[in-house]
PDB file of all heavy atoms in Angstrom:
ATOM      1  N   ALA A 619     -70.512 -24.256  23.686  1.00 94.00           N
ATOM      2  CA  ALA A 619     -69.360 -23.860  24.498  1.00 94.00           C
ATOM      3  C   ALA A 619     -69.006 -24.850  25.568  1.00 94.00           C
ATOM      4  O   ALA A 619     -67.837 -25.109  25.878  1.00 94.00           O
ATOM      5  CB  ALA A 619     -69.601 -22.477  25.143  1.00 94.00           C
ATOM      6  N   SER A 620     -70.043 -25.526  26.144  1.00 94.00           N
ATOM      7  CA  SER A 620     -69.778 -26.454  27.221  1.00 94.00           C
ATOM      8  C   SER A 620     -69.033 -27.677  26.762  1.00 94.00           C
ATOM      9  O   SER A 620     -68.101 -28.172  27.454  1.00 94.00           O
ATOM     10  CB  SER A 620     -71.076 -26.901  27.897  1.00 94.00           C
ATOM     11  OG  SER A 620     -71.894 -27.549  26.985  1.00 94.00           O
ATOM     12  N   VAL A 621     -69.333 -28.187  25.562  1.00 94.00           N
ATOM     13  CA  VAL A 621     -68.609 -29.372  25.076  1.00 94.00           C
ATOM     14  C   VAL A 621     -67.215 -28.999  24.571  1.00 94.00           C
ATOM     15  O   VAL A 621     -66.313 -29.871  24.488  1.00 94.00           O
ATOM     16  CB  VAL A 621     -69.413 -30.106  23.965  1.00 94.00           C
ATOM     17  CG1 VAL A 621     -70.729 -30.588  24.521  1.00 94.00           C
ATOM     18  CG2 VAL A 621     -69.586 -29.213  22.734  1.00 94.00           C
ATOM     19  N   LEU A 622     -67.051 -27.707  24.245  1.00 94.00           N
ATOM     20  CA  LEU A 622     -65.711 -27.248  23.778  1.00 94.00           C
ATOM     21  C   LEU A 622     -64.865 -26.763  24.944  1.00 94.00           C
ATOM     22  O   LEU A 622     -63.713 -26.474  24.747  1.00 94.00           O
ATOM     23  CB  LEU A 622     -65.858 -26.153  22.726  1.00 94.00           C
ATOM     24  CG  LEU A 622     -66.492 -26.534  21.418  1.00 94.00           C
ATOM     25  CD1 LEU A 622     -66.759 -25.303  20.576  1.00 94.00           C
ATOM     26  CD2 LEU A 622     -65.649 -27.528  20.689  1.00 94.00           C
ATOM     27  N   HIS A 623     -65.493 -26.651  26.133  1.00 93.00           N
ATOM     28  CA  HIS A 623     -64.776 -26.104  27.304  1.00 93.00           C
ATOM     29  C   HIS A 623     -64.163 -24.753  27.018  1.00 93.00           C
ATOM     30  O   HIS A 623     -63.015 -24.493  27.313  1.00 93.00           O
ATOM     31  CB  HIS A 623     -63.667 -27.107  27.765  1.00 93.00           C
ATOM     32  CG  HIS A 623     -64.193 -28.489  28.021  1.00 93.00           C
ATOM     33  ND1 HIS A 623     -65.000 -28.810  29.050  1.00 93.00           N
ATOM     34  CD2 HIS A 623     -64.005 -29.627  27.321  1.00 93.00           C
ATOM     35  CE1 HIS A 623     -65.312 -30.099  29.014  1.00 93.00           C
ATOM     36  NE2 HIS A 623     -64.700 -30.620  27.957  1.00 93.00           N
ATOM     37  N   THR A 624     -65.004 -23.863  26.453  1.00 92.00           N
ATOM     38  CA  THR A 624     -64.575 -22.562  26.152  1.00 92.00           C
ATOM     39  C   THR A 624     -65.622 -21.583  26.606  1.00 92.00           C
ATOM     40  O   THR A 624     -66.704 -21.923  27.005  1.00 92.00           O
ATOM     41  CB  THR A 624     -64.297 -22.393  24.653  1.00 92.00           C
ATOM     42  OG1 THR A 624     -63.680 -21.140  24.384  1.00 92.00           O
ATOM     43  CG2 THR A 624     -65.587 -22.485  23.828  1.00 92.00           C
ATOM     44  N   SER A 625     -65.280 -20.287  26.501  1.00 89.00           N
ATOM     45  CA  SER A 625     -66.253 -19.231  26.862  1.00 89.00           C
ATOM     46  C   SER A 625     -65.866 -17.968  26.059  1.00 89.00           C
ATOM     47  O   SER A 625     -64.753 -17.837  25.551  1.00 89.00           O
ATOM     48  CB  SER A 625     -66.199 -18.946  28.348  1.00 89.00           C
ATOM     49  OG  SER A 625     -64.944 -18.433  28.729  1.00 89.00           O
ATOM     50  N   GLY A 626     -66.805 -17.103  25.901  1.00 91.00           N
ATOM     51  CA  GLY A 626     -66.583 -15.862  25.213  1.00 91.00           C
ATOM     52  C   GLY A 626     -66.998 -15.927  23.744  1.00 91.00           C
ATOM     53  O   GLY A 626     -67.082 -16.984  23.140  1.00 91.00           O
ATOM     54  N   ILE A 627     -67.272 -14.753  23.241  1.00 94.00           N
ATOM     55  CA  ILE A 627     -67.628 -14.575  21.804  1.00 94.00           C
ATOM     56  C   ILE A 627     -66.740 -13.489  21.217  1.00 94.00           C
ATOM     57  O   ILE A 627     -66.188 -12.677  21.995  1.00 94.00           O
ATOM     58  CB  ILE A 627     -69.112 -14.257  21.631  1.00 94.00           C
ATOM     59  CG1 ILE A 627     -69.517 -13.047  22.446  1.00 94.00           C
ATOM     60  CG2 ILE A 627     -69.953 -15.463  21.917  1.00 94.00           C
ATOM     61  CD1 ILE A 627     -70.978 -12.596  22.266  1.00 94.00           C
ATOM     62  N   PRO A 628     -66.523 -13.476  19.921  1.00 94.00           N
ATOM     63  CA  PRO A 628     -67.094 -14.331  18.912  1.00 94.00           C
ATOM     64  C   PRO A 628     -66.614 -15.777  19.011  1.00 94.00           C
ATOM     65  O   PRO A 628     -65.433 -16.047  19.347  1.00 94.00           O
ATOM     66  CB  PRO A 628     -66.664 -13.705  17.559  1.00 94.00           C
ATOM     67  CG  PRO A 628     -65.419 -12.971  17.886  1.00 94.00           C
ATOM     68  CD  PRO A 628     -65.629 -12.494  19.317  1.00 94.00           C
ATOM     69  N   LEU A 629     -67.527 -16.684  18.753  1.00 95.00           N
ATOM     70  CA  LEU A 629     -67.188 -18.125  18.685  1.00 95.00           C
ATOM     71  C   LEU A 629     -67.743 -18.685  17.412  1.00 95.00           C
ATOM     72  O   LEU A 629     -68.958 -18.570  17.107  1.00 95.00           O
ATOM     73  CB  LEU A 629     -67.762 -18.905  19.865  1.00 95.00           C
ATOM     74  CG  LEU A 629     -67.571 -20.402  19.823  1.00 95.00           C
ATOM     75  CD1 LEU A 629     -66.117 -20.778  19.932  1.00 95.00           C
ATOM     76  CD2 LEU A 629     -68.409 -21.057  20.975  1.00 95.00           C
ATOM     77  N   LYS A 630     -66.890 -19.326  16.599  1.00 97.00           N
ATOM     78  CA  LYS A 630     -67.286 -19.881  15.298  1.00 97.00           C
ATOM     79  C   LYS A 630     -67.023 -21.369  15.321  1.00 97.00           C
ATOM     80  O   LYS A 630     -65.949 -21.793  15.782  1.00 97.00           O
ATOM     81  CB  LYS A 630     -66.519 -19.188  14.147  1.00 97.00           C
ATOM     82  CG  LYS A 630     -66.799 -17.681  14.066  1.00 97.00           C
ATOM     83  CD  LYS A 630     -65.821 -17.049  13.164  1.00 97.00           C
ATOM     84  CE  LYS A 630     -66.144 -15.524  12.951  1.00 97.00           C
ATOM     85  NZ  LYS A 630     -66.220 -14.774  14.221  1.00 97.00           N
ATOM     86  N   VAL A 631     -67.990 -22.142  14.836  1.00 97.00           N
ATOM     87  CA  VAL A 631     -67.816 -23.587  14.804  1.00 97.00           C
ATOM     88  C   VAL A 631     -68.290 -24.125  13.424  1.00 97.00           C
ATOM     89  O   VAL A 631     -69.181 -23.529  12.796  1.00 97.00           O
ATOM     90  CB  VAL A 631     -68.545 -24.332  15.919  1.00 97.00           C
ATOM     91  CG1 VAL A 631     -68.035 -23.910  17.271  1.00 97.00           C
ATOM     92  CG2 VAL A 631     -70.063 -24.093  15.848  1.00 97.00           C
ATOM     93  N   ILE A 632     -67.696 -25.204  12.992  1.00 97.00           N
ATOM     94  CA  ILE A 632     -68.189 -25.929  11.818  1.00 97.00           C
ATOM     95  C   ILE A 632     -68.624 -27.321  12.254  1.00 97.00           C
ATOM     96  O   ILE A 632     -67.874 -28.047  12.928  1.00 97.00           O
ATOM     97  CB  ILE A 632     -67.043 -25.996  10.738  1.00 97.00           C
ATOM     98  CG1 ILE A 632     -66.676 -24.571  10.305  1.00 97.00           C
ATOM     99  CG2 ILE A 632     -67.498 -26.816   9.537  1.00 97.00           C
ATOM    100  CD1 ILE A 632     -65.521 -24.538   9.255  1.00 97.00           C
ATOM    101  N   ILE A 633     -69.810 -27.707  11.805  1.00 96.00           N
ATOM    102  CA  ILE A 633     -70.418 -28.958  12.181  1.00 96.00           C
ATOM    103  C   ILE A 633     -70.546 -29.846  10.946  1.00 96.00           C
ATOM    104  O   ILE A 633     -71.085 -29.358   9.935  1.00 96.00           O
ATOM    105  CB  ILE A 633     -71.765 -28.728  12.888  1.00 96.00           C
ATOM    106  CG1 ILE A 633     -71.570 -27.894  14.158  1.00 96.00           C
ATOM    107  CG2 ILE A 633     -72.465 -30.059  13.227  1.00 96.00           C
ATOM    108  CD1 ILE A 633     -72.849 -27.461  14.825  1.00 96.00           C
ATOM    109  N   ASP A 634     -70.108 -31.070  11.038  1.00 95.00           N
ATOM    110  CA  ASP A 634     -70.105 -31.969   9.869  1.00 95.00           C
ATOM    111  C   ASP A 634     -71.477 -32.569   9.618  1.00 95.00           C
ATOM    112  O   ASP A 634     -72.437 -32.287  10.361  1.00 95.00           O
ATOM    113  CB  ASP A 634     -68.978 -32.972   9.946  1.00 95.00           C
ATOM    114  CG  ASP A 634     -69.217 -34.022  11.033  1.00 95.00           C
ATOM    115  OD1 ASP A 634     -70.317 -34.071  11.598  1.00 95.00           O
ATOM    116  OD2 ASP A 634     -68.300 -34.798  11.343  1.00 95.00           O
ATOM    117  N   ARG A 635     -71.552 -33.411   8.608  1.00 95.00           N
ATOM    118  CA  ARG A 635     -72.834 -33.998   8.214  1.00 95.00           C
ATOM    119  C   ARG A 635     -73.451 -34.853   9.296  1.00 95.00           C
ATOM    120  O   ARG A 635     -74.656 -35.067   9.281  1.00 95.00           O
ATOM    121  CB  ARG A 635     -72.618 -34.871   6.938  1.00 95.00           C
ATOM    122  CG  ARG A 635     -72.008 -34.115   5.777  1.00 95.00           C
ATOM    123  CD  ARG A 635     -71.745 -35.107   4.615  1.00 95.00           C
ATOM    124  NE  ARG A 635     -70.814 -34.607   3.618  1.00 95.00           N
ATOM    125  CZ  ARG A 635     -71.214 -33.863   2.555  1.00 95.00           C
ATOM    126  NH1 ARG A 635     -72.487 -33.588   2.381  1.00 95.00           N
ATOM    127  NH2 ARG A 635     -70.330 -33.479   1.655  1.00 95.00           N
ATOM    128  N   ARG A 636     -72.653 -35.360  10.268  1.00 94.00           N
ATOM    129  CA  ARG A 636     -73.176 -36.196  11.307  1.00 94.00           C
ATOM    130  C   ARG A 636     -73.691 -35.435  12.492  1.00 94.00           C
ATOM    131  O   ARG A 636     -74.229 -36.016  13.471  1.00 94.00           O
ATOM    132  CB  ARG A 636     -72.078 -37.165  11.809  1.00 94.00           C
ATOM    133  CG  ARG A 636     -71.443 -38.066  10.742  1.00 94.00           C
ATOM    134  CD  ARG A 636     -70.219 -38.748  11.288  1.00 94.00           C
ATOM    135  NE  ARG A 636     -69.175 -37.758  11.691  1.00 94.00           N
ATOM    136  CZ  ARG A 636     -68.263 -37.927  12.622  1.00 94.00           C
ATOM    137  NH1 ARG A 636     -68.225 -39.064  13.334  1.00 94.00           N
ATOM    138  NH2 ARG A 636     -67.394 -36.973  12.906  1.00 94.00           N
ATOM    139  N   GLY A 637     -73.432 -34.107  12.508  1.00 94.00           N
ATOM    140  CA  GLY A 637     -73.832 -33.268  13.649  1.00 94.00           C
ATOM    141  C   GLY A 637     -72.729 -33.174  14.698  1.00 94.00           C
ATOM    142  O   GLY A 637     -72.955 -32.807  15.843  1.00 94.00           O
ATOM    143  N   HIS A 638     -71.443 -33.423  14.300  1.00 96.00           N
ATOM    144  CA  HIS A 638     -70.299 -33.299  15.182  1.00 96.00           C
ATOM    145  C   HIS A 638     -69.519 -32.011  14.887  1.00 96.00           C
ATOM    146  O   HIS A 638     -69.321 -31.644  13.729  1.00 96.00           O
ATOM    147  CB  HIS A 638     -69.373 -34.490  15.023  1.00 96.00           C
ATOM    148  CG  HIS A 638     -69.889 -35.776  15.556  1.00 96.00           C
ATOM    149  ND1 HIS A 638     -69.098 -36.807  15.942  1.00 96.00           N
ATOM    150  CD2 HIS A 638     -71.168 -36.216  15.801  1.00 96.00           C
ATOM    151  CE1 HIS A 638     -69.815 -37.819  16.402  1.00 96.00           C
ATOM    152  NE2 HIS A 638     -71.097 -37.443  16.298  1.00 96.00           N
ATOM    153  N   ILE A 639     -69.130 -31.356  15.970  1.00 96.00           N
ATOM    154  CA  ILE A 639     -68.246 -30.184  15.805  1.00 96.00           C
ATOM    155  C   ILE A 639     -66.891 -30.633  15.348  1.00 96.00           C
ATOM    156  O   ILE A 639     -66.244 -31.482  16.024  1.00 96.00           O
ATOM    157  CB  ILE A 639     -68.096 -29.398  17.123  1.00 96.00           C
ATOM    158  CG1 ILE A 639     -69.465 -28.838  17.583  1.00 96.00           C
ATOM    159  CG2 ILE A 639     -67.129 -28.197  16.934  1.00 96.00           C
ATOM    160  CD1 ILE A 639     -69.430 -28.179  18.931  1.00 96.00           C
ATOM    161  N   ARG A 640     -66.391 -30.089  14.215  1.00 96.00           N
ATOM    162  CA  ARG A 640     -65.117 -30.484  13.683  1.00 96.00           C
ATOM    163  C   ARG A 640     -64.049 -29.371  13.768  1.00 96.00           C
ATOM    164  O   ARG A 640     -62.876 -29.677  13.608  1.00 96.00           O
ATOM    165  CB  ARG A 640     -65.284 -30.926  12.208  1.00 96.00           C
ATOM    166  CG  ARG A 640     -66.226 -32.095  12.028  1.00 96.00           C
ATOM    167  CD  ARG A 640     -65.763 -33.319  12.809  1.00 96.00           C
ATOM    168  NE  ARG A 640     -64.490 -33.756  12.421  1.00 96.00           N
ATOM    169  CZ  ARG A 640     -64.173 -34.468  11.359  1.00 96.00           C
ATOM    170  NH1 ARG A 640     -65.173 -34.837  10.526  1.00 96.00           N
ATOM    171  NH2 ARG A 640     -62.971 -34.847  11.094  1.00 96.00           N
ATOM    172  N   TRP A 641     -64.489 -28.176  14.003  1.00 96.00           N
ATOM    173  CA  TRP A 641     -63.554 -27.022  14.076  1.00 96.00           C
ATOM    174  C   TRP A 641     -64.210 -25.925  14.899  1.00 96.00           C
ATOM    175  O   TRP A 641     -65.404 -25.737  14.855  1.00 96.00           O
ATOM    176  CB  TRP A 641     -63.230 -26.529  12.649  1.00 96.00           C
ATOM    177  CG  TRP A 641     -62.358 -25.293  12.631  1.00 96.00           C
ATOM    178  CD1 TRP A 641     -61.011 -25.267  12.616  1.00 96.00           C
ATOM    179  CD2 TRP A 641     -62.810 -23.953  12.571  1.00 96.00           C
ATOM    180  NE1 TRP A 641     -60.541 -23.945  12.557  1.00 96.00           N
ATOM    181  CE2 TRP A 641     -61.647 -23.141  12.486  1.00 96.00           C
ATOM    182  CE3 TRP A 641     -64.054 -23.304  12.488  1.00 96.00           C
ATOM    183  CZ2 TRP A 641     -61.696 -21.744  12.433  1.00 96.00           C
ATOM    184  CZ3 TRP A 641     -64.115 -21.934  12.458  1.00 96.00           C
ATOM    185  CH2 TRP A 641     -62.947 -21.141  12.406  1.00 96.00           C
ATOM    186  N   MET A 642     -63.332 -25.180  15.603  1.00 95.00           N
ATOM    187  CA  MET A 642     -63.798 -23.987  16.329  1.00 95.00           C
ATOM    188  C   MET A 642     -62.778 -22.867  16.145  1.00 95.00           C
ATOM    189  O   MET A 642     -61.575 -23.112  16.045  1.00 95.00           O
ATOM    190  CB  MET A 642     -64.003 -24.280  17.814  1.00 95.00           C
ATOM    191  CG  MET A 642     -62.732 -24.621  18.569  1.00 95.00           C
ATOM    192  SD  MET A 642     -62.850 -24.486  20.348  1.00 95.00           S
ATOM    193  CE  MET A 642     -62.845 -22.703  20.543  1.00 95.00           C
ATOM    194  N   GLY A 643     -63.262 -21.640  16.177  1.00 93.00           N
ATOM    195  CA  GLY A 643     -62.383 -20.484  16.157  1.00 93.00           C
ATOM    196  C   GLY A 643     -62.942 -19.461  17.111  1.00 93.00           C
ATOM    197  O   GLY A 643     -64.146 -19.161  17.111  1.00 93.00           O
ATOM    198  N   SER A 644     -62.093 -18.927  17.998  1.00 90.00           N
ATOM    199  CA  SER A 644     -62.558 -17.928  18.952  1.00 90.00           C
ATOM    200  C   SER A 644     -61.839 -16.609  18.711  1.00 90.00           C
ATOM    201  O   SER A 644     -60.655 -16.585  18.245  1.00 90.00           O
ATOM    202  CB  SER A 644     -62.289 -18.417  20.389  1.00 90.00           C
ATOM    203  OG  SER A 644     -60.912 -18.669  20.564  1.00 90.00           O
ATOM    204  N   GLY A 645     -62.506 -15.496  19.023  1.00 87.00           N
ATOM    205  CA  GLY A 645     -61.899 -14.205  18.836  1.00 87.00           C
ATOM    206  C   GLY A 645     -61.853 -13.824  17.362  1.00 87.00           C
ATOM    207  O   GLY A 645     -62.387 -14.513  16.512  1.00 87.00           O
TER     208      GLY A 645
END
Side-chain angles (χ1 to χ4, degrees):
S620 62
V621 298
L622 293 173
H623 305 290
T624 189
S625 61
I627 54 176
L629 174 65
K630 298 169 175 55
V631 298
I632 297 177
I633 299 174
D634 68 11
R635 303 175 196 272
R636 302 169 299 152
H638 287 205
I639 298 175
R640 301 300 303 280
W641 175 87
M642 65 163 285
S644 58

